[in-house]
Amino acid sequence: MRLDAKNVAHYLLERGLLDPAGVVAGDFLAYEASRRNHNVKVEREGGGGLFVKQASEHEASTRSTVGREALFLQAVARDGALAGLADLVPQFLGLDAERGIVINELVAGGRSLQE
């Protein structure tokens, strides 16, 4: 399943990363922000949000890149020796290795290097 702005809420609800009451109330905005990978930004009305990155189905190397990104973010969160990096990277929230999806916090006001 390829995630997009229309179906990402269902996926995130299944993973416990969105509040059902907030979804029903429409307290979030999902929009696509794809580049090399397929990305969806989810902004919550009360602040904060999620950045969902899914490896491209057409480029096999992106799945391993997304997996390595998730491993790095997990290491920053868990390894005290890397604690100094925690303020420089988004918080890791989940990995769906089977689908090539990594979920991070959405950095407020964040922009890609390309932007």
Side-chain angles (χ1 to χ4, degrees):
M1 164 177 66
R2 181 177 173 169
L3 295 179
D4 59 30
K6 294 178 183 176
N7 66 13
V8 72
H10 296 286
Y11 178 79
L12 294 171
L13 282 167
E14 289 174 5
R15 298 186 65 83
L17 293 170
L18 277 183
D19 176 41
V23 171
V24 171
D27 293 340
F28 75 98
L29 171 66
Y31 56 95
E32 297 182 40
S34 296
R35 300 271 189 278
R36 180 177 180 211
N37 297 294
H38 187 70
N39 306 317
V40 179
K41 291 183 180 181
V42 178
E43 295 179 350
R44 296 181 186 154
E45 195 167 287
L50 305 168
F51 186 78
V52 182
K53 181 185 288 187
Q54 185 172 26
S56 170
E57 298 167 352
H58 306 295
E59 195 173 331
S61 66
T62 62
R63 184 175 289 265
S64 63
T65 301
V66 167
R68 283 193 301 271
E69 177 181 340
L71 290 174
F72 171 73
L73 293 171
Q74 285 175 317
V76 169
R78 295 180 181 159
D79 187 340
L82 300 174
L85 296 174
D87 290 338
L88 303 173
V89 298
Q91 180 184 0
F92 172 79
L93 299 173
L95 171 66
D96 182 343
E98 183 179 315
R99 295 180 177 155
I101 299 170
V102 64
I103 305 163
N104 302 314
E105 73 170 334
L106 181 63
V107 177
R111 297 184 344 208
S112 71
L113 291 175
Q114 184 177 11
E115 291 172 317

